[in-house]
């Protein structure tokens, strides 16, 4: 994992802070303080790109819908195919959560 190079108390504290958030509103509050609008948009864009790639959308369709560069799309594709499986983990959980909410 690339992130292993950053592993340590400081990053653990950041992840613990994120894991402590309980609602979407708390996420909005925390991320508003900790990150720039551009950083937040980039993270959200990458997750959307990952979702579309797993839905087998074309680069052209992804680029058009998300405004992501082909470099960003390629990087996300590389992470999906050869990374730590983080995108797949989250997308699977979000899909399951979405299905559970539809059933309620």
């Amino acid at each position: 994992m690339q992130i292993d190079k950053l592993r340590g108390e400081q990053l653990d504290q950041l992840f613990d802070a994120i894991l402590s958030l309980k609602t979407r509103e708390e996420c909005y509050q925390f991320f508003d303080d900790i990150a720039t609008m551009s950083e937040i948009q980039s993270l959200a864009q990458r997750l959307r790109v990952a979702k579309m790639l797993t839905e087998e959308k074309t680069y052209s369709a992804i680029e058009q819908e998300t405004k992501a560069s082909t470099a960003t799309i390629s990087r996300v594709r590389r992470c999906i195919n050869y990374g730590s499986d983080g995108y797949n983990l989250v997308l699977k959980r979000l899909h399951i959560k979405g299905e559970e909410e539809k059933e309620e």
Side-chain angles (χ1 to χ4, degrees), residues 63-78:
E63 191 176 15
Q64 192 170 32
E65 186 173 322
T66 67
K67 307 297 185 234
S69 68
T70 55
T72 296
I73 298 168
S74 294
R75 183 179 189 290
V76 172
R77 164 69 77 201
R78 210 169 28 256

Side-chain angles (χ1 to χ4, degrees), residues 13-52:
Q13 189 175 34
L14 172 63
F15 291 156
D16 289 345
I18 293 168
L19 289 168
S20 77
L21 301 170
K22 301 211 183 325
T23 66
R24 186 174 288 142
E25 188 56 37
E26 287 180 356
C27 289
Y28 274 100
Q29 290 173 308
F30 180 68
F31 280 91
D32 188 41
D33 286 347
I34 200 166
T36 66
M37 299 306 293
S38 179
E39 291 166 335
I40 295 166
Q41 285 177 321
S42 292
L43 293 170
Q45 181 188 62
R46 289 178 195 151
L47 183 59
R48 180 73 182 135
V49 167
K51 183 176 187 303
M52 293 180 75

